[in-house]
Amino acid sequence: MTQDVSTPLMQQWREIKARHQDKILFYRMGDFYEVFYDDALLASKLLNITLTSRGDGVPMAGVPVRAATEYLRQLIACGQRVAICEQVEDPKLAKGLVRREVIETITPGALLDDGYLEGKRNNFLVALALPAGAAGGRGEGTGPRGLAAIDLSTGEFLLEALADRSIEDALLALGAAEVVLPVDVELRLPDGVLETRRERWEFDAELAREEIARRFRVASLDGFGIGSTEAPALGAAGALLRYLGELQPAGLPHLARPVVRRSEGRLHVDEMTRRNLELVEPLRAGTRNATLLEAIDCTVTPMGARLLRQWLLAPLADPAEINRRLDAVEVAARDTLGRGRIREALEGVRDLERLGGRAAAGRATPRELGALRDSFQRLPDVLEGLRSLAGRERSTALGALLEELDPLGDLAAELARGLVDRPPVALADGGVIRPGYDGELDELRQLRDGGKQYLAALQERERERTGIPSLKVGFNKVFGYYLEVTHTHKSRVPPEYERRQTLASGERYVTPELKAYEEKILGAEERIAAREGELFAALRARVGAAIERIQRTARALARLDVWTALADGAVRHRYVRPVVDHGFELALKGSRHPVIERLMPRESFIPNDVEFSPAARVLLVTGPNMAGKSTILRQIGLCVVLAQMGAFVPAEAARIGVVDRLFTRVGASDNLAQGQSTFMVEMSETGAILHNATARSLVLLDEIGRGTSTYDGVAIAWAVTEHLHDRVGCKTMFATHYHELTQLPERLQHARNLTVAVRDTGDTVVFLHRLQPGAADRSYGIHVAQLAGLPARVIARAEEVLATLEGDHRVVPGRPPTRDPGQLALFAERGEPPAPDPMVEELRALDVNALTPLEALNRLAELQRRAAASRERG
Ligand code: ADP
Ligand code: MG
């Protein structure tokens, strides 16, 4: 084992590996990438490939270069980084060992290849500039913080001063795949996010400013709208660019200018709300058609799908901006013909953003360039449709697209001239360039094809001359072209035939004439390949040079796709344009749940009206289980998200005063993996709401307090509602099956009771799913149990027990249970007889009108004395 390990090859491997210790090294050897030592152990385990060993006992595994993409995809999905080490000189020309270099490193955050990427979502690599030390459980440290994010595949580049946004929220909203952090920060990243540490100095804002100015060839960053609050974000961008530079030593693909994202002007939706409302991910992993995104995603291009997702995760809070988007949707919704035309044209448009990026990076394959050409060719149709839709108005959002949408006719024409209709995946397969595009190539091809014809003619001629009917011209790699004659006819072979090979079936010969043609033909093949390579590279470079135009157009198309998609969905599913303004009101008429209604037969979802106003801003919804409380609650949240992202809403009419923050705490969620009990999670989430809600927020609470005993639960729910009503003053909906809470509106001026109607037919309950004023009189839990098929005996017994319990438990009307806890118990202890207090009885019996003032005073003194005495006894 010892000798071979120090072969020159392994020495070269060691030197390279030393510079790439935290990565799996894919070491190119001929048609394989080989991995050695620990890399081999890891890769064989993750990829389920055979672990072998070299003769010297070095553990080793390999994957064929042809199939490398799939293996790389799997490794990346496991959160690995892979350094790709290629042979950088032709092995045939190399003296001694072939030179090898790492040409790129692939990590979960730095992906360019379509093979690894999901079309409908971005793949962001994020850097966080945070002060040294612990960043706190939710990532709130002290000192300025900033975030930079780059999607290498689309060229998007974002900066954000984190302000009061939690790090976890920011990362999850971006769907960060990998995060770059200073070494001295303590922070726990969300699961599945790869962590990369860099030195603190790399996050320096001044260094970054210079680097970015150089990269975008500007004298200063003034024009980028980067303010002093974004300094940490800028520093993060510097670290990010340096890291990416190391991963892609040949240079980064084209990046768009950094866009500064500000949290003002946006609807803040925290992670819990995003999850609970199932905006983009279902609560139960793997469930289909459970998310709002799925319900509204009618986009036809990958750029559109990505933008829709971005908008859904970052709705706006500025009515002017929202209405600009709504205007565009409305125009598209009205013009069925124009919309249809645009959507038809868009359907043929592929991922311009990513394909363009690949062309600019010199990586696009012939087939990808073909896809770009086909996409460019759709643009005139798109543009024409847009012109008729947008009219002459340039100030509208649709009109602005007219300016940005470049039909890229020059590129389309060039690619159409240059490429064959269906280019192959690999350049090496040949037949990429269209005949007639290049004179030299045409000549070479003629030579080759002419040569082939010549050989066919030669075969015919030789058959006649020799009288051997089975004589044929063949080709193999070792001997080139030959004439094959079966043994039967051996005697007729002319003397000038030179024997080259003897087979069981016959003999193979060559002639000088044949060899001369062979040279011409083979030479032609090689030169054809070289010429095609040149021409293809030139076409690709031409497209790559137009990357800014392509990506600007791609982004305009993304918006057009989203607007027409939203319009299409709105028409198909009967959504309306909401009135969005600065007011406080939130009024939905005939509203539906966009996801649930889709799962039911058409028209069977019961629409409901809801209205929040300054006078009635806390709505308590009671009703039996399964009545539809949670549904209406989420429905409101989803309508607000839709409206504020600039989409129509599932309702007959809607008025939505913009909301600054949306909080939704729905049902019980388990977070046992983090060692917290369900109730603890529920309470800390509720705490976060109470701390962060403002009068402009919308708080949707579903069954808060359920994770503990009934008394605790009611008490907490009561106090939470009071706080939101008295202190925060926000719009609140509280769905609960604790009908004890229906007493709240008696003392909270701006609170109202609502209930979801049921028809009680005596022995069964019919859910009407209709929201109406008033309180549920009881919780109907037993009826639900009955509907669910519990045995009749059990149901009967439960009715009995319920009757006893209800007799025992009384809330004292009008008394908030958490106030004055020492005076009156909220509920009598179980089992204690509900005996009326004698003093209360006495007071009740008193006829005040029949008493003289003096008598009254005496009775009062007497009552007070007895009350004092009873206090001492108790
Ligand atoms: P609750 O929270 O009151 O227990 P849910 O909101 O979970 O009830 O609703 C239970 C089921 O009732 C839903 O899954 C849905 O099938 C149905 N449902 C709710 N609201 C409606 C409605 N407006 N129209 C038709 N069906 C509804
Ligand atoms: Mg519910």
Side-chain angles (χ1 to χ4, degrees):
M1 135 160 201
T2 43
Q3 260 174 359
D4 246 338
V5 175
S6 54
T7 56
L9 184 82
M10 287 316 286
Q11 264 168 21
Q12 185 190 49
W13 179 87
R14 259 173 234 287
E15 275 161 30
I16 296 174
K17 177 69 190 173
R19 277 175 273 128
H20 297 276
Q21 304 221 4
D22 55 345
K23 300 154 200 157
I24 294 177
L25 184 63
F26 265 38
Y27 190 70
R28 178 73 179 261
M29 290 174 72
D31 291 336
F32 279 81
Y33 288 117
E34 303 288 1
V35 285
F36 299 109
Y37 290 103
D38 287 354
D39 288 355
L41 300 177
L42 185 60
S44 69
K45 196 172 82 202
L46 295 177
L47 297 174
N48 201 14
I49 54 175
T50 319
L51 183 68
T52 58
S53 71
R54 284 164 46 93
D56 47 34
V58 175
M60 145 177 167
V63 302
V65 172
R66 265 182 305 104
T69 303
E70 176 52 25
Y71 289 113
L72 284 169
R73 199 186 55 71
Q74 287 180 37
L75 289 175
I76 298 306
C78 299
Q80 297 293 325
R81 303 177 177 85
V82 184
I84 311 286
C85 177
E86 292 290 353
Q87 300 172 167
V88 292
E89 61 183 343
D90 189 337
K92 276 183 250 161
L93 308 175
K95 294 195 196 77
L97 195 59
V98 183
R99 267 200 306 123
R100 289 185 173 82
E101 268 170 30
V102 169
I103 55 143
E104 73 173 319
T105 301
I106 298 173
T107 79
L111 299 178
L112 268 169
D113 207 316
D114 245 7
Y116 318 126
L117 291 163
E118 206 182 308
K120 290 189 161 210
R121 55 197 294 177
N122 279 101
N123 192 69
F124 279 112
L125 174 63
V126 172
L128 290 171
L130 302 172
R138 281 173 65 83
E140 273 90 18
T142 48
R145 312 173 308 152
L147 169 155
I150 289 178
D151 182 336
L152 217 49
S153 63
T154 63
E156 281 157 287
F157 186 0
L158 307 173
L159 298 179
E160 182 177 338
L162 282 167
D164 55 353
R165 197 156 132 92
S166 94
I167 290 169
E168 193 190 13
D169 272 359
L171 294 180
L172 290 167
L174 282 169
E178 181 178 355
V179 174
V180 182
L181 285 168
V183 280
D184 52 10
V185 171
E186 288 161 41
L187 177 68
R188 192 173 173 277
L189 293 174
D191 290 343
V193 179
L194 180 68
E195 176 178 309
T196 297
R197 296 286 182 164
R198 310 300 283 183
E199 294 298 328
R200 160 79 40 197
W201 66 264
E202 297 194 23
F203 292 78
D204 183 82
E206 282 319 302
L207 278 179
R209 202 177 286 279
E210 287 164 28
E211 157 69 18
I212 292 172
R214 209 175 316 122
R215 171 171 287 274
F216 292 96
R217 296 195 198 90
V218 290
S220 89
L221 301 190
D222 294 348
F224 290 15
I226 301 173
S228 58
T229 41
E230 277 88 28
L234 202 60
L240 200 54
L241 289 171
R242 189 168 295 106
Y243 175 57
L244 282 171
E246 286 169 23
L247 299 181
Q248 300 283 341
L252 292 189
H254 172 78
L255 294 179
R257 288 181 164 202
V259 173
V260 177
R261 274 225 234 177
R262 298 210 158 77
S263 52
E264 316 94 74
R266 297 204 179 255
L267 166 61
H268 184 98
V269 182
D270 63 1
E271 180 50 25
M272 141 186 69
T273 303
R274 197 154 41 230
R275 258 202 327 261
N276 285 332
L277 289 180
E278 304 186 283
L279 294 186
V280 295
E281 236 124 84
L283 275 174
R284 271 198 306 156
T287 320
R288 291 185 60 89
N289 297 327
T291 65
L292 181 61
L293 182 60
E294 286 164 296
I296 61 167
D297 187 359
C298 311
T299 57
V300 292
T301 68
M303 314 57 107
R306 288 195 295 270
L307 185 67
L308 184 72
R309 188 189 173 90
Q310 285 182 10
W311 280 4
L312 183 55
L313 288 174
L316 307 171
D318 170 18
E321 218 182 319
I322 293 169
N323 280 307
R324 242 172 97 76
R325 286 189 188 172
L326 286 171
D327 287 343
V329 178
E330 184 173 350
V331 168
R334 287 214 176 128
D335 185 350
T336 311
L337 228 62
R339 182 177 77 238
R341 191 148 144 208
I342 290 181
R343 295 180 61 67
E344 213 183 295
L346 279 176
E347 273 196 28
V349 177
R350 301 274 307 279
D351 200 337
L352 283 192
E353 211 173 17
R354 281 184 173 158
L355 290 172
R358 289 179 51 72
R363 290 169 182 251
T365 64
R367 182 157 297 170
E368 288 171 334
L369 221 53
L372 276 171
R373 171 199 58 200
D374 298 345
S375 305
F376 295 159
Q377 287 174 340
R378 312 301 291 240
L379 299 183
D381 282 353
V382 175
L383 204 58
E384 209 175 310
L386 176 61
R387 267 196 205 105
S388 78
L389 204 62
R392 258 181 252 285
E393 198 53 74
R394 291 293 159 112
S395 63
T396 62
L398 278 176
L401 291 185
L402 279 171
E403 307 281 315
E404 290 165 53
L405 219 159
D406 183 334
L408 301 167
D410 51 332
L411 296 180
E414 184 71 21
L415 288 177
R417 282 206 314 121
L419 288 178
V420 297
D421 287 342
R422 301 183 48 113
V425 175
L427 180 61
D429 293 343
V432 171
I433 301 295
R434 186 183 289 277
Y437 181 63
D438 178 66
E440 187 183 334
L441 183 62
D442 288 347
E443 250 172 57
L444 288 166
R445 280 177 174 161
Q446 236 162 31
L447 195 62
R448 176 190 62 189
D449 300 343
K452 279 186 179 150
Q453 269 166 25
Y454 179 85
L455 286 172
L458 183 133
Q459 175 174 300
E460 212 35 53
R461 195 158 25 91
E462 288 301 296
R463 278 182 186 175
E464 270 171 33
R465 189 165 73 92
T466 59
I468 307 173
S470 60
L471 178 147
K472 60 179 192 226
V473 176
F475 176 82
N476 79 18
K477 272 198 178 152
V478 184
F479 300 108
Y481 286 97
Y482 52 77
L483 293 159
E484 190 171 314
V485 176
T486 53
H487 291 301
T488 346
H489 300 289
K490 214 162 118 185
S491 55
R492 295 198 219 172
V493 169
E496 70 272 22
Y497 277 27
E498 244 178 77
R499 206 180 65 218
R500 277 290 158 92
Q501 195 183 11
T502 304
L503 305 168
S505 56
E507 309 249 25
R508 289 176 176 175
Y509 304 88
V510 296
T511 64
E513 189 192 0
L514 193 60
K515 281 293 125 182
Y517 266 93
E518 176 183 303
E519 217 156 90
K520 238 181 181 175
I521 292 168
L522 291 187
E525 289 283 11
E526 253 169 49
R527 282 161 64 202
I528 287 169
R531 184 66 187 153
E532 271 207 316
E534 274 168 38
L535 294 168
F536 176 71
L539 275 177
R540 185 165 64 189
R542 173 130 188 229
V543 173
I547 182 66
E548 286 187 34
R549 288 164 64 204
I550 296 172
Q551 288 190 338
R552 189 166 359 99
T553 300
R555 279 166 205 149
L557 290 172
R559 264 174 291 154
L560 187 59
D561 188 12
V562 168
W563 282 324
T564 51
L566 288 175
D568 215 52
V571 172
R572 209 151 5 117
H573 303 291
R574 294 166 301 125
Y575 288 16
V576 291
R577 175 175 183 159
V579 175
V580 177
D581 57 24
H582 280 294
F584 183 86
E585 275 83 11
L586 196 173
L588 300 173
K589 200 169 160 298
S591 79
R592 288 123 39 207
H593 190 297
V595 176
I596 293 182
E597 79 162 334
R598 221 62 83 67
L599 302 174
M600 305 174 86
R602 205 173 159 91
E603 310 277 332
S604 50
F605 190 90
I606 318 273
N608 270 304
D609 301 346
V610 198
E611 186 171 349
F612 296 86
S613 66
R617 56 176 192 243
V618 174
L619 304 181
L620 274 160
V621 183
T622 45
N625 273 317
M626 291 301 287
K629 302 182 298 296
S630 302
T631 306
I632 184 83
L633 193 101
R634 287 166 179 239
Q635 181 174 320
I636 295 167
L638 294 173
C639 284
V640 167
V641 169
L642 282 172
Q644 294 196 206
M645 72 179 275
F648 283 21
V649 297
E652 279 160 36
R655 165 178 291 274
I656 289 170
V658 284
V659 165
D660 67 348
R661 284 153 195 259
L662 172 62
F663 296 101
T664 311
R665 175 64 183 80
V666 180
S669 71
D670 252 309
N671 213 352
L672 291 175
Q674 286 182 13
Q676 288 181 312
S677 78
T678 307
F679 183 60
M680 184 66 193
V681 173
E682 186 178 316
M683 284 301 106
S684 57
E685 288 181 356
T686 307
I689 296 176
L690 298 183
H691 285 302
N692 294 308
T694 75
R696 289 226 61 104
S697 304
L698 173 62
V699 177
L700 303 169
L701 300 173
D702 193 1
E703 308 280 13
I704 295 299
R706 192 152 63 166
T708 181
S709 76
T710 307
Y711 300 165
D712 282 4
V714 173
I716 290 169
W718 190 297
V720 165
T721 313
E722 251 180 19
H723 181 87
L724 290 169
H725 179 276
D726 297 347
R727 314 246 157 210
V728 181
C730 59
K731 293 182 272 282
T732 304
M733 179 173 269
F734 198 142
T736 178
H737 71 281
Y738 291 142
H739 53 277
E740 289 88 347
L741 292 181
T742 55
Q743 298 169 65
L744 267 169
E746 288 171 22
R747 55 172 306 282
L748 301 182
Q749 199 188 348
H750 307 292
R752 298 289 181 273
N753 273 319
L754 295 174
T755 183
V756 189
V758 288
R759 196 186 310 123
D760 192 344
T761 62
D763 48 20
T764 185
V765 166
V766 180
F767 297 111
L768 302 177
H769 302 304
R770 211 178 48 239
L771 199 61
Q772 60 188 32
D777 47 356
R778 54 204 181 91
S779 77
Y780 296 90
I782 294 174
H783 281 284
V784 174
Q786 186 180 14
L787 288 180
L790 254 60
R793 293 176 67 115
V794 175
I795 300 292
R797 177 62 186 143
E799 301 270 18
E800 258 175 55
V801 175
L802 178 69
T804 326
L805 293 178
E806 282 187 341
D808 288 355
H809 297 162
R810 291 263 151 67
V811 174
V812 177
R815 289 282 186 160
T818 48
R819 299 272 166 92
D820 312 316
Q823 288 191 3
L824 287 161
L826 172 54
F827 304 109
E829 285 303 312
R830 182 179 306 186
E832 211 175 80
D837 191 309
M839 281 198 291
V840 173
E841 287 303 311
E842 228 176 294
L843 275 168
R844 198 175 279 146
L846 217 57
D847 184 359
V848 180
N849 294 326
L851 291 177
T852 66
L854 190 62
E855 272 172 336
L857 205 57
N858 283 335
R859 292 295 274 275
L860 190 60
E862 155 77 354
L863 279 169
Q864 191 180 44
R865 189 188 55 76
R866 277 168 50 197
S870 89
R871 177 98 178 257
E872 269 154 34
R873 277 202 305 278

